[in-house]
Amino acid sequence: MIKHLRSAADLDAETATLILDTAGEMAALAGREVKKLPTLRGRTVVNLFYEDSTRTRISFEAAAKRLSADVINFSAKGSSVSKGESLKDTALTLQAMGADAVVIRHPASGAPHRLASWVDGSVINAGDGTHEHPTQALLDAYTMRSRLGKIDGLKVAIVGDVLHSRVARSNVLLLTTLGAEITLVGPPTLIPVDIAAALSPQTKVSYDLDSVLPDMDVVMMLRVQTERMQDSYFPSAREYSRRYGLDAPRMRRLPEHAIVMHPGPMNRGMEIAPEVADSSRSTIVEQVANGVSARMAVLYLLLGGKA
Ligand code: NCD
């Protein structure tokens, strides 16, 4: 088993499948009255969050607690980071406290890689800048597999603000490893030149959502990340949602069995219409539930659990 999960590229097909299978076993636990396993008793998991988060932070906390680990939640706001403490000094503090795993979310791409060189424990990337978010890709893959029965051969459109999306990057890497065919869709300004080739040569790019939809098994909508945009990438929100938003008429272009995903938080009415987000094809709430199981599997396996 790998020690750190910094990138979806850390996972070969065998390791990723083992994590997904283990997540399935963890999910079975969620149906029980007592949702706890003693497996990580006495181990310490630190959640180190330098960026805002709802789902991911709560999900990692729930995952570690269900495995009986001691959980320390650190958020940069209200800590010595606001006094100017560096990531390295914070890392050395965690090291002194004996963290077995550090889950990090940071605005700087690459922060988890640096952290891994300063601490002895496992480092898990919970989102670094615009770079990667590997546990989101795992929970997305898990959701696809449980809804559609497989990943190999699935046609997946990832739609919207690819440029700023760590979710897109990690999903392309993981899903390609597992045999899915990816098409990135969005305005040319939000699809970096050569990104497809850089991530995986098989990845396709399209600027026309309507023409792509009839052929897809999965459509994954991305949040338009205005907080990361210094320039204007499209004329107006209205124009964006007219061309690239998923509304009900557009959703009807999808095959009957196809599912609609979104990592959250959503801009309802922009990249996704409320009636689509709340429809029976949407897996958005399921993705959140699956996130706990996927993160339990990651913590369990990285900290030495057996398959
Ligand atoms: C994503 C993130 O923070 O990268 N959200 C998440 O983790 N569920 C996507 C986003 O912020 O749009």
Side-chain angles (χ1 to χ4, degrees):
M1 186 39 66
I2 51 169
K3 178 173 181 190
H4 306 294
L5 180 56
R6 291 163 293 195
S7 158
D10 293 339
L11 301 168
D12 57 21
E14 195 190 340
T15 310
T17 305
L18 174 62
I19 295 174
L20 299 183
D21 291 344
T22 308
E25 287 171 37
M26 297 298 178
L29 195 72
R32 292 205 222 145
E33 200 176 338
V34 178
K35 296 182 176 43
K36 246 176 144 88
L37 285 179
T39 31
L40 295 186
R41 193 183 285 151
R43 316 290 293 277
T44 301
V45 175
V46 178
N47 290 323
L48 191 60
F49 277 68
Y50 285 82
E51 237 187 36
D52 296 342
S53 173
T54 304
R55 275 156 277 268
T56 307
R57 191 171 51 78
I58 296 174
S59 180
F60 268 109
E61 182 174 353
K65 285 183 170 162
R66 284 190 193 171
L67 294 170
S68 306
D70 294 319
V71 182
I72 299 173
N73 289 314
F74 168 100
S75 73
K77 257 185 229 130
S79 75
S80 289
V81 172
S82 30
K83 299 180 185 166
E85 184 162 70
S86 68
L87 177 61
K88 181 168 185 180
D89 287 324
T90 304
L92 297 178
T93 305
L94 301 177
Q95 175 65 15
M97 289 179 183
D100 295 293
V102 183
V103 175
I104 178 171
R105 168 166 288 197
H106 200 284
S109 300
H113 289 75
R114 295 296 286 144
L115 184 66
S117 64
W118 295 322
V119 297
D120 291 333
S122 291
V123 171
I124 300 168
N125 182 0
D128 60 330
T130 57
H131 180 226
E132 279 217 48
H133 194 354
T135 61
Q136 179 71 41
L138 283 164
L139 77 88
D140 290 336
Y142 181 86
T143 305
M144 290 175 206
R145 202 177 73 165
S146 66
R147 274 284 190 122
L148 301 169
K150 60 169 191 176
I151 294 169
D152 189 31
L154 284 184
K155 295 202 165 84
V156 181
I158 302 181
V159 183
D161 186 1
V162 174
L163 179 65
H164 301 104
S165 180
R166 50 200 182 199
V167 175
R169 252 165 277 271
S170 287
N171 263 298
V172 172
L173 290 168
L174 180 68
L175 293 173
T176 306
T177 301
L178 293 173
E181 290 171 38
I182 315 291
T183 307
L184 300 172
V185 186
T189 47
L190 290 176
I191 302 202
V193 179
D194 287 344
I195 185 182
L199 288 171
S200 80
Q202 309 95 299
T203 304
K204 298 184 195 127
V205 171
S206 167
Y207 306 123
D208 180 9
L209 182 55
D210 286 320
S211 71
V212 165
L213 290 175
D215 206 26
M216 292 296 132
D217 301 298
V218 177
V219 51
M220 181 184 294
M221 304 308 295
L222 301 171
R223 185 173 64 89
V224 177
Q225 304 195 22
T226 41
E227 80 279 17
R228 297 192 202 276
M229 294 183 185
Q230 267 98 47
D231 304 303
S232 68
Y233 288 88
F234 42 83
S236 68
R238 194 153 162 263
E239 173 79 12
Y240 180 89
S241 96
R242 250 168 38 113
R243 300 264 334 244
Y244 297 104
L246 192 63
D247 57 10
R250 234 177 219 142
M251 184 171 71
R252 286 194 282 276
R253 298 178 76 90
L254 284 165
E256 201 70 52
H257 68 275
I259 58 171
V260 175
M261 308 181 76
H262 192 301
M266 289 179 267
N267 299 308
R268 281 175 183 260
M270 176 118 175
E271 72 267 0
I272 191 163
E275 65 269 29
V276 174
D278 301 328
S279 76
S280 58
R281 283 172 178 243
S282 150
T283 60
I284 298 169
V285 179
E286 226 168 287
Q287 284 169 263
V288 176
N290 291 339
V292 178
S293 309
R295 286 165 180 132
M296 284 173 79
V298 167
L299 286 169
Y300 174 74
L301 292 168
L302 262 53
L303 293 185
K306 296 279 169 296

